Amino acid sequence: LMEKDRLFAELTLDDDELALYEQVYTSLAIEAPAPDLVIYLQAPVEVLLQRIQQRGLDSERSISEDYLQRLVDSYINFFYYYNAAPLLIVNAAEVNFVSGDNDYRQLLEQLTKITKGRHYFNPATIN
């Protein structure tokens, strides 16, 4: 989603940089088609911090809890108002789609059911 890029710009750029970003964004923005489905994987900051530590990537070591909280809040606000395409909000706090085959299969099953609107999926509660 092109609109998502702006969330990061607003969190990381100062006023002058953001003004320059807006100029560049406006001149480069294209009229992209709406996606068939948007999947928003949602998890609390504590979970995100644990996952960052587990990955152990140097590029992620400097990500602060405060920054992550502001990013999570921005995503919540963004997707609260998002209506350009069908949206699936997934509680990703207790699941592992990379190594959890069952979690992945449950997600795929949900994807086949969505045609329009806003949907919520909490795989941790499905037996």
Side-chain angles (χ1 to χ4, degrees):
L1 293 175
M2 289 289 292
E3 304 94 340
K4 200 177 73 159
D5 184 62
R6 191 168 199 287
L7 298 177
F8 291 95
E10 290 174 344
L11 289 176
T12 58
L13 302 177
D14 65 30
D15 291 342
D16 292 335
E17 293 169 329
L18 187 57
L20 179 59
Y21 169 87
E22 292 291 346
Q23 290 175 0
V24 171
Y25 181 87
T26 302
S27 65
L28 296 178
I30 59 171
E31 191 69 32
D36 293 331
L37 175 66
V38 174
I39 302 171
Y40 169 31
L41 301 175
Q42 188 177 47
V45 171
E46 299 78 27
V47 171
L48 299 175
L49 286 170
Q50 285 176 333
R51 291 177 181 169
I52 287 170
Q53 286 180 336
Q54 289 171 346
R55 279 194 297 269
L57 300 176
D58 289 337
S59 61
E60 295 180 338
R61 290 189 200 279
S62 64
I63 297 175
S64 71
E65 184 174 346
D66 177 63
Y67 175 79
L68 274 180
Q69 186 62 61
R70 291 185 294 132
L71 186 59
V72 165
D73 292 344
S74 292
Y75 269 87
I76 289 169
N77 187 58
F78 177 79
F79 284 114
Y80 180 80
Y81 294 102
Y82 185 81
N83 62 5
L87 175 63
L88 176 62
I89 301 172
V90 178
N91 177 355
E94 301 290 330
V95 297
N96 184 339
F97 295 114
V98 175
S99 61
D101 288 342
N102 190 43
D103 295 338
Y104 182 69
R105 276 193 295 276
Q106 288 179 29
L107 177 62
L108 286 178
E109 184 180 319
Q110 287 295 309
L111 296 180
T112 63
K113 299 175 184 178
I114 297 173
T115 58
K116 62 182 177 177
R118 177 181 305 257
H119 303 266
Y120 301 91
F121 178 50
N122 188 3
T125 62
I126 296 177
N127 296 324

